[in-house]
Every structure is written in structure tokens, then in C-alpha cells.
């Protein structure tokens, strides 16, 4: 975590001195990486689901994926929808795990935005999904309003229902679809990254000069074999 450069969902810098930090500890469990999924929620509707470990190919996800999708939908509808944050936050992400007994477990929540890794999607794509979902919901509201206007209550009356394609469910289906972890480049000390990019704005030696300094032999003289033998 870079506690110096914090951003809100609008990209505005947050004063780190005003942030109240909390340490959250989570019980360690031996989870199989193929059964972790990230879910994206927009306007309280489950928009998309992605395989969490997108750097690996798990063949069983291709054949059993739709079954896992239905488990996650049921879990979302019964345990999370309009319950997260008291229903005050309509857009968010959450991670789940499905165990051997096909039970779905909530792992954590994440913000809706670029701060959260979109995994097998990208945020522009999720934005398009969100727009399409809004259009579907608007169409469904129009149909419901017409039914109400005409007093359609008889179970034998014909009615129109929209079959939604959401949530989109995406997994790595072949070895060729494996994606590299985009966050791998951040797994380095922050001072090394700043030195390479001079992001701090301070007068620091160039990265080339730093590397040349590291390649120099040690300034500490090595002991001769004769000295070692006489000691």
C-alpha cells in the first residue's frame, strides 16, 4: 500500500494525514485458487464475474463454470444485494470462494473503480456492460408499468419478460488466454520505483548512475591468502 498517494473514486488526492487507518486481519485458509471469483456490482445488480486467479488455466472451470455462476447469483441475491453498506452503496466489487460442498463464502469487498483489479475484464468494458444493463432495466420498468396500467393480474395472461445476459461470466478457457499479472510491476520497493522514474521530484542520482554504483566492486580490500594463512 502506498499510503502517500491515496485516491478516492473520482481520482482526487486524499490527504493521507486525515485518513483513519485500521488493521484488518483475516483468518488464513488453504483455498484452492481455481475456486476464487471476483464479482462486479453496478446499481445493485450483479454485472460480471471473473476467475480470480487469471494467470492460470483450470480446465474444470470451462465445463462447470455455469454451475458456479448460478451458485454465486443465488448467494448474491440472498446475502449481499442491497445489504452491503446498508444498501447505501450501489456500485462495488466483492470476492467469493466456492468450497467442495458448493457453499459460497464471502472473502472481501472492493471499491468499484480502477483501484480494483478488473482481472479478465477492463474498466472500459465494464462501463459498457453497465450502460447496457441500465438500458435493460429501463426496458423492464416500462413493461412493468404497462402491465400495471392495464391491470394484468391473471396468471393466464401473456406477459413479456426480458432475458438478461448478465452477469457475464468469464474464465481462462485455454492456456493461450492466460494473462500476465498487471500488478507484478508494483512488487518492488517504492524507493526503487521512484528512483527509476524520479517520481518524487527530488534531486536524486539517475537510475543509470545508481546501477553503475551497484556494479562497482566493494571498496573494502580483500585479504590476501598469505595474510589469511598467517593469521
Amino acid at each position: 500500500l502506498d499510503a502517500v498517494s491515496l485516491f478516492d473514486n473520482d481520482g482526487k488526492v486524499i490527504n493521507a494525514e486525515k485518513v483513519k487507518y485500521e488493521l484488518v486481519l483475516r483468518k488464513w485458509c488453504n483455498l484452492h485458487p481455481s475456486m476464487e471469483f471476483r464479482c462486479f456490482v453496478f446499481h445493485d445488480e450483479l454485472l460480471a464475474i471473473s476467475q480470480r486467479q487469471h494467470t492460470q488455466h483450470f480446465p474444470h472451470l470451462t465445463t462447470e463454470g455455469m454451475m458456479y455462476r448460478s451458485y454465486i447469483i443465488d448467494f448474491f441475491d440472498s446475502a449481499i444485494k442491497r445489504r452491503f453498506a446498508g444498501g447505501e452503496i450501489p456500485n462495488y466489487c466483492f470476492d467469493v470462494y466456492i468450497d467442495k460442498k458448493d457453499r459460497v463464502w464471502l472473502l472481501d469487498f472492493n471499491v468499484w473503480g480502477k483501484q480494483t483489479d478488473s482481472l479478465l475484464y477492463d474498466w472500459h468494458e465494464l462501463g459498457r456492460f453497465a450502460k447496457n444493463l441500465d438500458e435493460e432495466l429501463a426496458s423492464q420498468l416500462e413493461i412493468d408499468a404497462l402491465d400495471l396500467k392495464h391491470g394484468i393480474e391473471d396468471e393466464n395472461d401473456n406477459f413479456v419478460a426480458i432475458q438478461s445476459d448478465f452477469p457475464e461470466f468469464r474464465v481462462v478457457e485455454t492456456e493461450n488466454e492466460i494473462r500476465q499479472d498487471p500488478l507484478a510491476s508494483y512488487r518492488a520497493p517504492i524507493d526503487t520505483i521512484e528512483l527509476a522514474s524520479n517520481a518524487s521530484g527530488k534531486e536524486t542520482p539517475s537510475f543509470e548512475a545508481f546501477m553503475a554504483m551497484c556494479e562497482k566492486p566493494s571498496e573494502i580490500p580483500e585479504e590476501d591468502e598469505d595474510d589469511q594463512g598467517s593469521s
Side-chain angles (χ1 to χ4, degrees), residues 42-43 45 132-142:
F42 183 78
H43 286 181
E45 298 294 335
N132 294 339
L133 178 63
D134 274 346
E135 292 174 353
E136 285 191 5
L137 293 176
S139 298
Q140 186 64 62
L141 287 175
E142 291 178 3

Side-chain angles (χ1 to χ4, degrees), residues 143-159:
I143 293 173
D144 292 343
L146 287 174
D147 289 347
L148 183 62
K149 179 179 179 180
H150 295 290
I152 300 178
E153 297 180 355
D154 191 339
E155 294 181 356
N156 295 324
D157 285 331
N158 294 326
F159 65 91

Side-chain angles (χ1 to χ4, degrees), residues 71-201:
Y71 294 157
I72 295 173
I73 292 174
D74 291 343
F75 176 77
F76 171 73
D77 289 340
S78 62
I80 297 179
K81 187 173 183 178
R82 296 190 177 89
R83 290 178 173 83
F84 170 63
E88 296 182 2
I89 299 178
N91 307 331
Y92 53 92
C93 307
F94 65 94
D95 293 346
V96 295
Y97 179 78
I98 301 178
D99 65 16
K100 293 181 179 180
K101 296 182 179 180
D102 295 330
R103 296 175 299 183
V104 182
W105 297 85
L106 176 66
L107 298 181
D108 57 23
F109 287 98
N110 296 282
V111 297
W112 170 276
K114 294 182 179 180
Q115 302 96 321
T116 299
D117 190 349
S118 55
L119 302 177
L120 292 174
Y121 302 95
D122 62 62
W123 279 106
H124 294 292
E125 184 180 22
L126 290 171
R128 292 195 301 271
F129 287 172
K131 181 179 179 181
N132 294 339
L133 178 63
D134 274 346
E135 292 174 353
E136 285 191 5
L137 293 176
S139 298
Q140 186 64 62
L141 287 175
E142 291 178 3
I143 293 173
D144 292 343
L146 287 174
D147 289 347
L148 183 62
K149 179 179 179 180
H150 295 290
I152 300 178
E153 297 180 355
D154 191 339
E155 294 181 356
N156 295 324
D157 285 331
N158 294 326
F159 65 91
V160 179
I162 295 178
Q163 181 65 40
S164 176
D165 294 328
F166 297 109
E168 170 87 8
F169 185 83
R170 193 169 292 182
V171 299
V172 177
E173 297 184 359
T174 66
E175 294 285 348
N176 295 331
E177 294 181 2
I178 290 177
R179 297 190 183 185
Q180 298 299 318
D181 189 349
L183 301 179
S185 59
Y186 296 102
R187 292 169 182 167
I190 189 66
D191 51 352
T192 304
I193 297 175
E194 290 182 351
L195 181 62
S197 61
N198 197 21
S200 64

